[in-house]
Amino acid sequence: MRKRPVTSQEVANLAGVSQSAVSRCFSPNASIAPKTKEKVLAAAQQLGYRPNAIARSLITRSSRTIAVVMSQLDNPFYAQMLEYASRRFQQHGYHLLLFMSSDEQETASVMSDILQSQADGILMLAATLSSSLAKECVARGIPVVMINRTVAFEGVSQVASDNYHGGYWVGRHLVESGCERIAFLAGLADSSTSSQRRQGFLDALAEHGVACWAEAVGDYDFTTAQAATRALFKADVYPDAVFAANDHMAIAVIDTLKAELGLQVPHDVAVVGFDNIPVAAWPSYQLTTVQQPIEAMVDEATALLLGQIASGQVMGERKVLPVTPIVRDSAARDSSLTLCAHAQPVRK
């Protein structure tokens, strides 16, 4: 039979302390004397006590949970980000509730579930929030932080890397490497990251008097990017370089070029991605890319979200972090171009 749970009062009696001392011992960042904490933990271990998170949330009016909304898990970049975010919030005594949303309509349904979950805050990883849903969160006093997406409306904090200048570096790097027929493989049509990278890329080409040879849409999806690559290379005269809006698609481009079309990278076609996921450095790819500062982005988002939770004030703050070009064999020319003081090309 299931045993009756041990109460905090029983722990307090055994340790010879007050019940409030037991509560402070298991509350993150609460003040408690080291000797008192030692006695409480020893008594709790002896009795097999586990604090009741639900009961504590009713008292503190804090669930100690953060709702995370994601649009995809197959992209290693977001798997990395989710893992690091989980560790960072756990360090502060918070746990993550994961919600998946692929489009705006599904996001609206997911947000209803999140509001019912009583999460203390919302972290959105590459998921887009509508203006009406943002206003509802602000009205309810629920802070929202978006990572790797930007929106024009107020009340939502946003943390992103410098997508524009990352795309700008790619354009200059490819032109100054001697490429002439440069194609762009876009991500999702409504994605701020893809549009910002594209604009920087096109501006760099224009400054050098070069027009984009062709464009296709890969939707940040591996299979879709493969089909887009086939379409880009079906003509007799095909691109001599492809800039994919993220590494996940760039890997699909390289696989398709090598396995299906018999083309060599970079001898026949140079390929550049964006993100610097671990597979980009694998010997079979050696992908030139633009590195996003994952840990710094999550650190900024964590600070913004927890700061607003603690203060009870919902604010819309924006952080843009520098990127770092990573030069590898897929487009190997060592460029001396500099985006800013924090964005020197790195040979890896």
Side-chain angles (χ1 to χ4, degrees):
M1 294 180 63
R2 187 175 181 179
K3 293 182 178 180
R4 177 184 63 83
V6 178
T7 67
S8 60
Q9 185 61 59
E10 290 174 308
V11 175
N13 293 340
L14 181 60
V17 299
S18 66
Q19 188 176 19
S20 62
V22 176
S23 178
R24 291 198 305 276
C25 183
F26 291 97
S27 298
N29 304 319
S31 176
I32 184 170
K35 288 186 177 180
T36 302
K37 185 174 184 178
E38 184 179 345
K39 289 193 295 183
V40 170
L41 292 177
Q45 184 177 12
Q46 182 178 335
L47 295 173
Y49 171 74
R50 295 290 184 273
N52 188 325
I54 297 176
R56 187 167 61 215
S57 69
L58 294 174
I59 297 171
T60 63
R61 295 188 178 181
S62 171
S63 65
R64 307 297 296 185
T65 59
I66 301 296
V68 178
V69 184
M70 296 185 67
S71 59
Q72 56 181 167
L73 273 172
D74 58 336
N75 184 348
F77 177 77
Y78 294 112
Q80 282 182 277
M81 187 171 283
L82 179 62
E83 178 183 357
Y84 186 69
S86 179
R87 295 180 186 278
R88 291 291 287 117
F89 280 103
Q90 283 179 28
Q91 291 172 357
H92 293 275
Y94 283 82
H95 300 282
L96 305 185
L97 292 175
L98 180 61
F99 296 84
M100 300 301 297
S101 170
S102 58
D103 53 40
E104 188 169 313
Q105 183 176 0
E106 191 172 358
T107 299
S109 175
V110 164
M111 290 299 293
S112 176
D113 293 336
I114 291 174
L115 295 176
Q116 291 181 43
S117 75
Q118 301 297 309
D120 293 330
I122 302 173
L123 184 68
M124 305 198 72
L125 302 185
T128 302
L129 187 67
S130 69
S131 176
S132 60
L133 288 173
K135 289 178 180 178
E136 183 175 359
C137 290
V138 172
R140 290 172 176 257
I142 303 173
V144 179
V145 177
M146 302 178 71
I147 300 184
N148 211 34
R149 287 289 189 273
T150 58
V151 290
F153 43 84
E154 300 297 324
V156 175
S157 292
Q158 302 161 48
V159 179
S161 66
D162 194 346
N163 292 297
Y164 175 85
H165 284 100
Y168 187 89
W169 177 85
V170 174
R172 287 176 58 175
H173 180 75
L174 290 173
V175 170
E176 297 193 357
S177 294
C179 299
E180 299 176 345
R181 304 183 304 278
I182 308 173
F184 178 68
L185 182 57
L188 294 167
D190 60 350
S191 165
S192 60
T193 54
S194 182
S195 62
Q196 290 164 5
R197 293 166 193 175
R198 175 182 180 272
Q199 191 59 57
F201 168 72
L202 293 179
D203 286 351
L205 295 187
E207 284 188 10
H208 288 75
V210 177
C212 183
W213 178 262
E215 293 191 53
V217 177
D219 287 339
Y220 287 142
D221 176 75
F222 193 91
T223 302
T224 307
Q226 287 182 307
T229 303
R230 297 183 193 106
L232 285 172
F233 285 82
K234 66 181 180 181
D236 292 336
V237 181
Y238 50 76
D240 59 7
V242 176
F243 170 35
N246 74 353
D247 287 353
H248 192 53
M249 294 192 299
I251 296 301
V253 172
I254 292 176
D255 281 350
T256 305
L257 292 176
K258 290 182 176 180
E260 297 183 24
L261 305 179
L263 297 174
Q264 298 180 22
V265 176
H267 179 73
D268 297 315
V269 185
V271 179
V272 181
F274 205 108
D275 286 341
N276 196 31
I277 61 177
V279 69
W282 288 8
S284 56
Y285 296 110
Q286 283 295 298
L287 179 64
T288 293
T289 185
V290 178
Q291 179 174 292
Q292 294 203 77
I294 288 181
E295 294 188 1
M297 292 168 72
V298 172
D299 287 343
E300 289 283 359
T302 302
L304 286 173
L305 200 54
L306 295 184
Q308 293 182 46
I309 291 172
S311 67
Q313 297 182 339
V314 176
M315 297 172 287
E317 301 182 54
R318 299 191 180 195
K319 304 281 185 178
V320 178
L321 305 183
V323 295
T324 304
I326 304 295
V327 179
R328 298 192 181 97
D329 292 343
S330 72
R333 177 184 176 274
D334 285 312
S335 173
S336 60
L337 303 174
T338 302
L339 299 181
C340 62
H342 303 288
Q344 300 282 356
V346 176
R347 175 75 185 186
K348 288 191 177 181

